[in-house]
Amino acid sequence: MAQLNYHHLQYFWAVAREGNLTRAARRLHVSQSALSVQIRQLEAQLGQPLFTRVGRTLTLTEAGRIALAYAEQIFTAGSELVATLKDGRRRERQVLRVGAVATLSRNFQESFVKPLLARVDVELVLQSGSLPELLTRLGAHTLDLVLSNRAVHGDAERDWRCRRIARQPVSLVGPPRMQGRTWRFPQDFDGLPLLLPGRSSDIRTGFDLLCEQLDVRFPILAEVDDMAMLRLLARDSDAVALLPSVVVRDELRDGRLHECCKVPTLFEEFYAITVKRSFQAPLLKTLFERSEAEVLAMEA
């Protein structure tokens, strides 16, 4: 069996981290042509292309993403060898890169990754952005998973794998003074100004449709795209807000807010999006094996 050429692997590692052949060659003090030859020889040995070229940028293929993960472990292990002999400590870590839509509840994100937070052998990389931005990173294998409250469907270009991991009712939440009575929707909220998600939200679309069907209208105190800001306004403005209870989980638990009622037929769904790969990150199994109730648990 042919042995891996670690010199070639180190050159690949440098190019992958730079994302540019010219910059990598300059840093390594070799010619660009010599570096290209080294990469091609490694690809020939592995039997897989490691890069695709997009303009002047080199983008990792799926095989390249896997090779990079191994290269990082190999060269990190080399550095740790010195540290191990000096201080007697050794550390092996897995890396999981998770993207989340910027407007997604922070409480939900925390609950989802909670099983990995206490593990010293795991490094979490959490990124936020718009859904199209995150899907681009997922397709380029720089993310392992995308969390979204909107489903996506695969097509001829991308074989997205979209699974629903949780579903919960959307509630009208108000200040503590609203406790002590049973609230009915919509009649008991007539004339109350509401804090609502922005019009680009699926929750808002569903709420507007429901109000149209019931022939009711509510004064709008504020429209808020970001769930983190909606949470703050709900907590501090003494107004009624429309949102999933997981967003204000902590405030409901300690009594700073009160769930008046669940809005009938209105739900938010949470999705985990991956792309078809020959080698999925093993840590994803840990996250996917929990029940919906565990993911949405009210405990912090």
Side-chain angles (χ1 to χ4, degrees):
M1 181 181 295
Q3 291 187 343
L4 181 65
N5 188 313
Y6 290 97
H7 190 65
H8 294 168
L9 185 66
Q10 187 173 28
Y11 277 10
F12 157 75
W13 185 44
V15 174
R17 297 177 74 182
E18 290 288 344
N20 181 280
L21 200 65
T22 303
R23 289 197 301 269
R26 188 181 303 120
R27 186 164 68 85
L28 294 169
H29 304 292
V30 298
S31 69
Q32 186 173 328
S33 59
L35 191 54
S36 296
V37 170
Q38 300 274 2
I39 299 299
R40 285 198 297 271
Q41 289 176 346
L42 179 62
E43 289 176 327
Q45 186 177 18
L46 296 177
Q48 298 282 347
L50 301 177
F51 294 104
T52 57
R53 184 177 290 277
V54 180
R56 296 184 178 181
T57 302
L58 293 175
T59 302
L60 288 169
T61 64
E62 180 181 354
R65 176 72 182 84
I66 295 168
L68 177 59
Y70 275 101
E72 289 177 339
Q73 292 178 27
I74 289 169
F75 295 117
T76 298
S79 299
E80 290 181 350
L81 172 61
V82 178
T84 299
L85 295 177
K86 285 184 175 180
D87 57 25
R89 291 183 300 173
R90 183 183 178 190
R91 186 178 61 167
E92 295 179 356
R93 310 193 77 191
Q94 302 177 69
V95 178
L96 186 70
R97 295 171 173 83
V98 178
V101 174
T103 56
L104 199 65
S105 163
R106 286 3 180 216
N107 282 340
F108 170 76
Q109 295 177 47
E110 180 186 16
S111 294
F112 183 74
V113 301
K114 184 179 178 182
L116 304 180
L117 292 177
R119 289 182 52 171
V120 297
D121 64 325
V122 173
E123 177 184 345
L124 276 173
V125 178
L126 304 177
Q127 302 178 7
S128 64
S130 68
L131 184 56
E133 291 171 343
L134 296 175
L135 291 178
T136 298
R137 297 179 208 169
L138 182 64
H141 309 298
T142 58
L143 288 175
D144 300 301
L145 170 74
V146 169
L147 297 176
S148 173
N149 51 7
R150 183 170 296 176
V152 299
H153 304 283
D155 53 30
E157 294 185 2
R158 294 294 185 192
D159 192 2
W160 305 124
R161 301 299 174 91
C162 184
R163 68 169 72 193
R164 193 181 77 184
I165 50 180
R167 180 178 188 258
Q168 69 163 353
V170 176
S171 301
L172 284 166
V173 175
R177 61 179 173 78
M178 300 183 74
Q179 296 186 56
R181 60 172 289 186
T182 300
W183 292 83
R184 298 166 301 164
F185 179 85
Q187 52 267 44
D188 290 341
F189 297 90
D190 185 34
L192 286 178
L194 299 183
L195 299 167
L196 298 178
R199 295 181 184 274
S200 63
S201 162
D202 287 347
I203 294 176
R204 177 63 183 279
T205 300
F207 184 73
D208 287 348
L209 180 60
L210 179 61
C211 289
E212 183 178 334
Q213 293 170 344
L214 297 174
D215 194 27
V216 295
R217 294 289 183 272
F218 294 99
I220 299 175
L221 181 62
E223 297 177 327
V224 186
D225 283 331
D226 181 34
M227 279 292 168
M229 177 56 82
L230 187 57
R231 173 190 183 186
L232 291 178
L233 293 180
R235 188 185 67 192
D236 299 334
S237 68
D238 202 40
V240 176
L242 177 77
L243 38 70
S245 58
V246 69
V247 175
V248 288
R249 176 186 61 196
D250 300 335
E251 289 81 3
L252 291 174
R253 187 178 58 246
D254 62 24
R256 284 182 290 171
L257 287 173
H258 170 66
E259 185 180 48
C260 301
C261 72
K262 293 178 172 61
V263 179
T265 73
L266 191 58
F267 297 88
E268 179 168 41
E269 298 181 326
F270 300 98
Y271 298 93
I273 306 166
T274 57
V275 66
K276 183 180 179 180
R277 293 179 180 172
S278 302
F279 306 94
Q280 289 287 3
L283 291 171
L284 292 181
K285 182 179 179 181
T286 302
L287 298 177
F288 289 154
E289 64 187 5
R290 290 179 302 154
S291 68
E292 178 176 319
E294 289 174 309
V295 173
L296 292 175
M298 292 294 287
E299 290 78 10

